[in-house]
Amino acid sequence: MKIDLTDTTASKINKALVKGRRAIGTPAVGMVLTMVIVTDEENAYDSIKAAEDASREHPSRTLVVIKRVARTPRDRTQSRLDAEVRVGSDAGTGETVVLRTYGEVTDHADSVVLPLLLPDAPVVVWWPVDAPEVPVKDPLGALAQRRITDMYAVENPLGALEARAASYAPGDTDLAWTRLTPWRSMLAAALDQSRTKVTSAAVESEADNPSAELLARWLEARLKVPVERVVTAGPVVTAVRLGTKSGEIVIDRPEGPLATLTLPGQPSRTLALKVRPTSELIAEELRRLDADEMYAIALRGEGTKETFRHA
């Protein structure tokens, strides 16, 4: 069910939500959080689709804030709020409200969002593109327990990484870090099996890959060894090599959804290591809303002045 509202208010949007729930017989009590997506028209469809897919695991109210720019100077001085309310099958397993702001309302989107938050429920803010320089100080970011950014969506990912490290606050996270969860799990399992001291390490990836840099910093901080960055043709992270006295521990994924794990003195084995869609990354982030200490460690790392060499 969809309800379109033009030149509306937060109060009218809340009434439309109640009307929609009554019409389809769906209560709001089953929703566990409010997801606020701050995006543009170009990326709105994909972001909403990812959030709706994630809502199957985490039923939520999704508020999509799209800041519109009027075409004429006269229209830019006029404040307006348009909304599209979606409930039932049109909104995954929760509710979706698409908010389009014009004029002065654009600079005060938090005043529109605040009355629409679920009472006594956590708030997560996600910027698929164009995240603020300091997410925790953003008016919408200040409302949230969890703030999700994505360094892949910017022109200079490694520059954005340095900005994230400088502005980090508990509750911040980035999808470039979330993409590393399978890699980190496999590396931890491999080290548990080999039970030997790591003396050197290398991360291989395409150039300017923020996930590769975070992985290298995390390994440096946890293993206390320098990590070499090696540029390959990609895609994304292609291999991690850990040197030990017994031989090399290698996870190699040159392409496709499968990787090869090699441990000293053992036959190689094939592991599933696919590139996950955004909906899975968001669903993972919503499973825990406390501070991600490992992300903070990876941001700051050790030896962050290392440069990449070409393979």
Side-chain angles (χ1 to χ4, degrees):
M1 180 178 182
K2 294 183 180 180
I3 303 173
D4 290 322
L5 301 171
T6 302
D7 198 6
T8 187
T9 63
S11 176
K12 292 178 181 178
I13 294 170
N14 265 320
K15 290 178 181 178
L17 284 167
V18 173
K19 178 183 176 181
R21 285 198 301 269
R22 287 176 178 170
I24 63 173
T26 302
V29 293
M31 287 179 279
V32 297
L33 58 89
T34 302
M35 163 77 84
V36 180
I37 303 174
V38 187
T39 186
D40 53 22
E41 287 286 2
E42 181 182 354
N43 295 278
Y45 176 85
D46 291 339
S47 303
I48 294 170
K49 182 66 167 58
E52 289 178 353
D53 289 346
S55 75
R56 294 186 174 91
E57 182 177 337
H58 309 277
S60 58
R61 173 176 290 178
T62 302
L63 306 177
V64 185
V65 180
I66 302 174
K67 299 180 180 181
R68 299 293 300 271
V69 177
R71 294 185 178 182
T72 66
R74 177 185 162 202
D75 290 341
R76 288 176 197 144
T77 63
Q78 298 177 353
S79 297
R80 194 174 91 232
L81 171 65
D82 295 343
E84 179 183 318
V85 177
R86 306 178 186 179
V87 294
S89 60
D90 290 311
T93 59
E95 302 170 338
T96 299
V97 181
V98 181
L99 304 166
R100 290 181 171 87
T101 63
Y102 300 80
E104 291 184 3
V105 180
T106 299
D107 298 324
H108 303 282
D110 54 312
S111 64
V112 176
V113 167
L114 187 59
L116 300 176
L117 301 179
L118 289 171
D120 303 320
V123 178
V124 176
V125 177
W126 171 33
W127 293 271
V129 293
D130 298 329
E133 187 172 341
V134 184
V136 72
K137 292 185 178 179
D138 180 82
L140 288 172
L143 300 175
Q145 286 75 45
R146 193 74 156 182
R147 296 167 294 277
I148 305 173
T149 54
D150 192 354
M151 287 180 258
Y152 273 83
V154 303
E155 187 175 348
N156 180 10
L158 298 186
L161 192 154
E162 299 302 337
R164 296 283 168 265
S167 66
Y168 174 81
D172 289 355
T173 192
D174 195 281
L175 295 186
W177 174 246
T178 317
R179 292 180 179 95
L180 292 173
T181 300
W183 282 93
R184 294 189 293 124
S185 298
M186 288 184 183
L187 287 168
L191 289 172
D192 284 343
Q193 292 181 55
S194 61
R195 295 194 174 277
T196 183
K197 181 176 176 58
V198 175
T199 56
S200 65
V203 174
E204 300 180 3
S205 78
E206 62 189 4
D208 297 327
N209 185 280
S211 291
E213 179 61 22
L214 285 170
L215 182 57
R217 295 186 184 194
W218 177 69
L219 289 171
E220 284 175 337
R222 305 303 288 175
L223 299 177
K224 306 300 181 184
V225 298
V227 177
E228 184 180 12
R229 283 79 158 167
V230 181
V231 174
T232 64
V236 294
V237 180
T238 55
V240 175
R241 304 179 186 277
L242 304 178
T244 72
K245 292 182 179 179
S246 305
E248 217 176 31
I249 299 171
V250 180
I251 297 179
D252 187 22
R253 185 192 63 183
E255 59 182 354
L258 299 177
T260 301
L261 171 63
T262 304
L263 297 173
Q266 298 185 29
S268 299
R269 67 194 76 171
T270 301
L271 305 171
L273 193 58
K274 68 174 183 177
V275 176
R276 297 182 294 166
T278 304
S279 58
E280 289 188 20
L281 303 177
I282 292 297
E284 178 184 325
E285 284 300 332
L286 298 183
R287 288 179 199 135
R288 51 172 292 180
L289 301 179
D290 55 331
D292 191 340
E293 295 178 357
M294 287 298 102
Y295 172 60
I297 289 173
L299 273 178
R300 290 157 184 165
E302 294 179 7
T304 58
K305 296 301 181 181
E306 293 283 343
T307 57
F308 281 80
R309 72 169 175 83
H310 288 268

